Amino acid sequence: MYYGGQSAAAAVEAVYRAESRRVLATLIRLLGDFDRAEEALHDAFAAALQQWPREGVPGNPRAWLVSAGRFKAIDALRRRARFDASLRLLAEQLEGEADKTELDEVEDDRLRLIFTCCHPALPADARVALTLRAVCDLTTEEIARAFLAAPATIAQRIVRAKARIRDAHISYRVPEREELPARLDSVLRVIYLVFNEGYSASAGPALTRADLSAEAIRLGRLLLELLPDAEVMGLLALMLLHDARRAARTDAAGDLVRLEEQDRSVWDRRQIDEGLQLVRRALTSPAPGAYALQAAIVAVHAEVESAEQTDWAQIVRLYDVLLGLSPSPVVELNRAVAVAMRDGPAAGLELVDELLARGDLHDYHLSHAARADLLRRLGRITEAREAYRAALQLVRLEPERRFLQRRLEELE
């Protein structure tokens, strides 16, 4: 089918939105270098803008772009070969290899790209930045805004990550079965870190970044589509169930609304239903993992119509299992809050005080905020004020700071 110039340009833009990450993933496989593949991607779409208005949009735009990008890269290598003889050899090698662009191969390329960006040999912050850039197509400026960093800092992380992949000869592949558990865990951690930064930002004026959480959910869906693992189901369920409450987490002024005070009628029931189905599938696997258990805890909240109906005994039991599987002070803190809801604030306070006495979570504002709330409920007002002040010294997110300040002012 042939298009006029304007329609063809619109088609190029639509194909870019739908296919550019797939094309980039395949070009990275074919060319063996992130920067070379990104340059080839740019050249391929530039060629499309020139040729498609005259010749029409090809029947398989993705294959056309991969082929165009590959040959543009070979031409570029040949032009530079007069300065570097090794580039001539590389160009000849690339030209001699088969151009594999079958659908299954391309889908595998997307999975390879995720595992490469999240390789455990890369620093954690570099994994996140490279994943958002290469897989999600966020700009350096968008990533910098999301993590309250300078664009130059994010750019350096991405450059260093690419150099590390190149210099360490990190394989662009899906790990073998025996390697998969450790490597998959790294991928899931990166995706959940991206989600959490969008769902509950670590600092700044806004509580949430919907676009960042949406990118993490999109990655989770992609990973589940390509790798139907129980822990992938658990992570996607966890993100969907959390994100379903987004509209109720803040009021019109942008202030924090506690879970028990949220208007549950505005929760996204479609996302909740999808999340609950995934939780059930994940929990019926032979050995449910930490993400599946966390999703099951969130599901207990999502299944009831009011906070008063929450089955806190079941939540405590789930935390017990989670602690046995993946012990951490944060999980202990969350379990302590659940125990307080089941057995009363004194029981929860004892557990929180034990945590703080060990030195765990001393610099974590939520541990002091939880302690302050339990002291408030026990009527120990002077101690509650001190705990709220300790939390305020540590909090970095403005809506949380305002919430804690209001609580403190109520007691004063």
Side-chain angles (χ1 to χ4, degrees):
M1 180 180 292
Y2 287 82
Y3 296 81
Q6 185 177 1
S7 297
V12 171
E13 183 178 348
V15 170
Y16 183 89
R17 288 195 303 269
E19 303 287 0
S20 65
R21 297 304 97 186
R22 292 182 175 92
V23 174
L24 177 63
T26 299
L27 287 171
I28 292 172
R29 169 173 59 83
L30 294 173
L31 303 176
D33 183 90
F34 272 80
D35 292 330
R36 195 174 293 131
E38 288 177 343
E39 182 180 350
L41 177 74
H42 173 80
D43 290 344
F45 274 97
L49 281 171
Q50 288 183 342
Q51 293 179 230
W52 290 7
R54 298 194 311 267
E55 303 170 6
V57 178
N60 188 338
R62 187 194 307 170
W64 190 97
L65 289 162
V66 169
S67 180
R70 177 170 170 267
F71 284 111
K72 291 285 185 182
I74 292 171
D75 288 343
L77 287 171
R78 281 182 173 150
R79 287 195 303 272
R80 298 168 190 161
R82 56 188 171 181
F83 305 109
D84 186 344
S86 64
L87 295 179
R88 184 176 64 253
L89 296 175
L90 179 58
E92 292 171 357
Q93 177 186 343
L94 292 174
E95 191 172 27
E97 292 177 352
D99 187 4
K100 299 177 182 178
T101 57
E102 293 85 356
L103 179 60
D104 290 343
E105 186 74 22
V106 171
E107 294 305 314
D108 286 346
D109 285 338
R110 298 168 76 195
L111 188 55
R112 290 187 188 102
L113 181 56
I114 292 174
F115 274 100
T116 303
C117 291
C118 299
H119 195 282
L122 302 177
D125 56 359
R127 293 179 215 164
V128 175
L130 187 58
T131 300
L132 289 174
R133 182 72 195 95
V135 181
C136 301
D137 197 26
L138 267 65
T139 66
T140 303
E141 290 73 18
E142 288 171 331
I143 301 168
R145 282 199 301 270
F147 292 97
L148 302 177
T153 300
I154 297 297
Q156 287 173 0
R157 289 178 191 172
I158 294 172
V159 168
R160 285 197 296 265
K162 291 176 181 176
R164 174 70 174 167
I165 290 170
R166 181 185 65 246
D167 297 341
H169 304 291
I170 291 174
S171 299
Y172 178 67
R173 62 181 178 85
V174 177
E176 301 297 333
R177 181 168 296 277
E178 60 271 15
E179 300 174 286
L180 197 55
R183 290 287 301 278
L184 179 60
D185 184 57
S186 177
V187 172
L188 296 178
R189 277 202 308 271
V190 166
I191 293 175
Y192 196 37
L193 180 60
V194 172
F195 175 81
N196 274 330
E197 191 62 30
Y199 181 73
S200 184
S202 57
L207 184 67
T208 66
R209 273 283 308 270
D211 55 341
L212 209 56
S213 294
E215 286 294 343
I217 290 173
R218 189 180 73 82
L219 275 181
R221 292 189 190 282
L222 169 61
L223 192 59
L224 182 61
E225 175 188 337
L226 302 175
L227 191 68
D229 178 270
E231 268 296 75
V232 181
M233 291 179 201
L235 175 60
L236 180 56
L238 179 60
M239 294 190 295
L240 287 169
L241 292 170
H242 273 311
D243 195 63
R245 304 198 302 243
R246 177 185 297 279
R249 293 186 66 224
T250 55
D251 60 19
D255 287 329
L256 178 67
V257 179
R258 290 161 57 96
L259 176 61
E260 57 266 31
E261 298 167 353
Q262 289 178 11
D263 179 1
R264 300 187 178 212
S265 68
V266 301
W267 286 5
D268 189 328
R269 298 309 311 183
R270 181 188 58 79
Q271 281 193 198
I272 289 174
D273 291 342
E274 183 184 359
L276 293 177
Q277 290 179 19
L278 287 166
V279 169
R280 295 185 190 105
R281 288 173 60 192
L283 291 178
T284 55
S285 66
Y291 290 112
L293 289 168
Q294 291 177 71
I297 291 167
V298 182
V300 175
H301 294 288
E303 288 175 321
V304 295
E305 295 180 357
S306 68
E308 292 74 22
Q309 297 173 314
T310 305
D311 187 346
W312 288 105
Q314 183 183 0
I315 290 176
V316 172
R317 288 194 297 271
L318 287 167
Y319 272 124
D320 289 339
V321 179
L322 180 59
L323 269 174
L325 182 66
S326 181
S328 84
V330 172
V331 174
E332 287 187 67
L333 176 64
N334 292 336
R335 180 185 179 277
V337 173
V339 167
M341 298 302 294
R342 183 191 67 179
D343 301 334
L349 180 62
E350 182 179 353
L351 296 173
V352 174
D353 282 344
E354 287 176 5
L355 264 174
L356 291 171
R358 292 200 320 247
D360 294 331
L361 304 182
H362 182 73
D363 296 328
Y364 185 48
H365 74 281
L366 291 179
S367 61
H368 297 282
R371 185 171 186 273
D373 185 62
L374 295 173
L375 289 165
R376 179 187 62 82
R377 288 162 60 186
L378 288 167
R380 294 162 58 176
I381 303 304
T382 301
E383 293 171 272
R385 289 175 187 152
E386 292 175 0
Y388 276 124
R389 292 190 187 105
L392 280 164
Q393 295 248 333
L394 297 167
V395 70
R396 298 174 60 201
L397 191 61
E398 182 59 25
E400 289 187 327
R401 190 200 63 77
R402 293 198 301 267
F403 173 82
L404 293 171
Q405 187 65 45
R406 284 198 308 273
R407 285 291 196 184
L408 177 59
E409 289 169 357
E410 287 168 5
L411 295 182
E412 293 178 336

